[in-house]
Amino acid sequence: MQFFEDIAIGQRRELGSYTFTAEAIKTFAVKFDPQRFHLDEEEGRKSLFGGLAASGWHVGCACMSLLVADGQRLAREAAARGEKVVAWGPSPGFRDLRWIKPVLAGDTVSFVNEVVDKRVSSSRPGWGILQATTTGTNQRGEQVYAITATAFVPMRGQDG
Amino acid sequence: MQFFEDIAIGQRRELGSYTFTAEAIKTFAVKFDPQRFHLDEEEGRKSLFGGLAASGWHVGCACMSLLVADGQRLAREAAARGEKVVAWGPSPGFRDLRWIKPVLAGDTVSFVNEVVDKRVSSSRPGWGILQATTTGTNQRGEQVYAITATAFVPMRGQDG
């Protein structure tokens, strides 16, 4: 993870992809979103989704898992280069989550994160606030998911 | 689930509560948010959270599971009264999700859903668009979570 000053608007990270198997879709749905079109192929086909569809929350969680893995990979690489690894603050939440198209069993979604805004925090000295949008695109090149999140990022100045 | 015309702004549903055990917090985190303060008590205590903290996505998913269970309960009750059960459309997403305070191992969060806005859809004849906010409050009465979601709801007029 980088310091606030080192992050540029427009900066992109490819996070990798996640394949939504029928089994993973159902396992998630049983626990957190037991609607019939997330649990059963036939019910999915009869629904507006047109097939066994992943819960939107499953898509969000899959995206989060790739975002965390990518952050951990970057931190390991920075540590290997002997750089200081920066701990970001907790996220206060996000705005504008969009489920654009259904994610059906067998779909593979690739996620990309892009910094869309940055500003110095007025309430927390030494911290900046980052806005980043992560989008998910399926194997047919269709955007299926987008989320804009906020993160608190420490400023280099603080640390000397 | 009700028709658009039967839903009033300010209408509230108590969705029930969810206890975040240490085991559930870790099981979720391993799969979807493997950050150290979601995986280990000691790491949690050393973090800004001050204890083993549930992933924000876990809080969101727990809220979703209660929302779905409540909808299914309402549908069963309507069916038992011989009323027509209305199928709502899929959610296009949500805006303004807030993780207000940490949810720590052992916390019990109660969720309440409230309709905050409704309007007739201009793009989909026969459908209305509902905005509802769901909030989560812990056992000390502190609000820890809030989310505002959008849903497409069929209008009675359509159905005759």
Side-chain angles (χ1 to χ4, degrees):
Chain A
M1 309 305 257
Q2 298 171 284
F3 284 108
F4 181 74
E5 290 89 335
D6 303 330
I7 296 166
I9 292 174
Q11 190 170 311
R12 281 164 61 95
R13 289 155 58 195
E14 312 252 349
L15 305 178
S17 63
Y18 186 102
T19 297
F20 292 82
T21 64
E23 194 194 340
I25 287 173
K26 293 177 195 178
T27 301
F28 186 96
V30 164
K31 215 157 178 179
F32 296 117
D33 192 354
Q35 302 187 77
R36 62 197 192 291
F37 34 72
H38 300 321
L39 290 168
D40 182 89
E41 276 83 356
E42 184 52 32
E43 292 284 352
R45 270 190 293 275
K46 290 191 304 189
S47 76
L48 279 172
F49 297 121
L52 179 70
S55 164
W57 287 91
H58 189 183
V59 180
C61 288
C63 175
M64 184 65 188
S65 72
L66 290 172
L67 207 53
V68 170
D70 185 67
Q72 292 174 340
R73 190 165 50 235
L74 291 177
R76 276 196 307 274
E77 289 170 6
R81 288 192 302 269
E83 292 171 21
K84 186 174 164 55
V85 175
V86 185
W88 287 18
S91 172
F94 51 79
R95 58 180 171 84
D96 199 21
L97 181 150
R98 286 179 296 142
W99 291 305
I100 301 159
K101 276 179 179 286
V103 173
L104 301 182
D107 280 355
T108 296
V109 179
S110 302
F111 295 92
V112 174
N113 177 269
E114 183 171 348
V115 177
V116 293
D117 195 28
K118 57 180 277 189
R119 63 185 174 84
V120 173
S121 169
S122 51
S123 60
R124 295 195 195 187
W127 289 80
I129 298 169
L130 214 68
Q131 298 263 9
T133 298
T134 306
T135 53
T137 303
N138 69 16
Q139 69 278 12
R140 289 178 297 280
E142 300 161 332
Q143 202 175 106
V144 297
Y145 178 73
I147 183 170
T148 299
T150 307
F152 281 93
V153 181
M155 296 178 72
R156 185 183 291 282
Q158 200 59 359
D159 234 66
Chain B
M1 311 304 256
Q2 298 171 284
F3 284 107
F4 180 74
E5 291 89 336
D6 303 330
I7 296 166
I9 292 175
Q11 189 171 312
R12 281 165 60 95
R13 290 155 57 194
E14 312 253 346
L15 305 179
S17 63
Y18 187 102
T19 297
F20 292 83
T21 63
E23 194 195 340
I25 287 174
K26 293 177 195 178
T27 301
F28 186 95
V30 165
K31 217 158 177 178
F32 295 118
D33 192 353
Q35 300 186 78
R36 62 198 192 290
F37 35 72
H38 301 322
L39 291 168
D40 183 89
E41 275 83 355
E42 183 52 31
E43 292 283 352
R45 271 191 293 274
K46 291 191 303 189
S47 76
L48 281 172
F49 297 121
L52 179 69
S55 165
W57 287 91
H58 189 183
V59 180
C61 288
C63 174
M64 183 65 189
S65 71
L66 290 171
L67 206 53
V68 169
D70 185 67
Q72 292 174 341
R73 189 165 51 237
L74 292 177
R76 275 196 307 274
E77 289 170 7
R81 288 193 301 269
E83 294 171 20
K84 186 174 166 51
V85 176
V86 184
W88 286 19
S91 171
F94 50 80
R95 58 182 172 81
D96 199 21
L97 181 150
R98 285 180 296 141
W99 292 306
I100 300 158
K101 277 180 178 285
V103 174
L104 301 183
D107 280 355
T108 296
V109 180
S110 302
F111 295 92
V112 174
N113 177 268
E114 182 171 349
V115 176
V116 293
D117 194 29
K118 56 180 277 190
R119 64 185 173 84
V120 172
S121 169
S122 51
S123 60
R124 295 195 194 188
W127 290 79
I129 298 170
L130 214 68
Q131 299 262 9
T133 297
T134 306
T135 53
T137 303
N138 68 18
Q139 70 277 15
R140 290 178 297 279
E142 300 162 330
Q143 202 177 104
V144 297
Y145 178 72
I147 183 171
T148 300
T150 308
F152 282 93
V153 181
M155 297 177 71
R156 186 183 290 283
Q158 201 59 358
D159 234 68

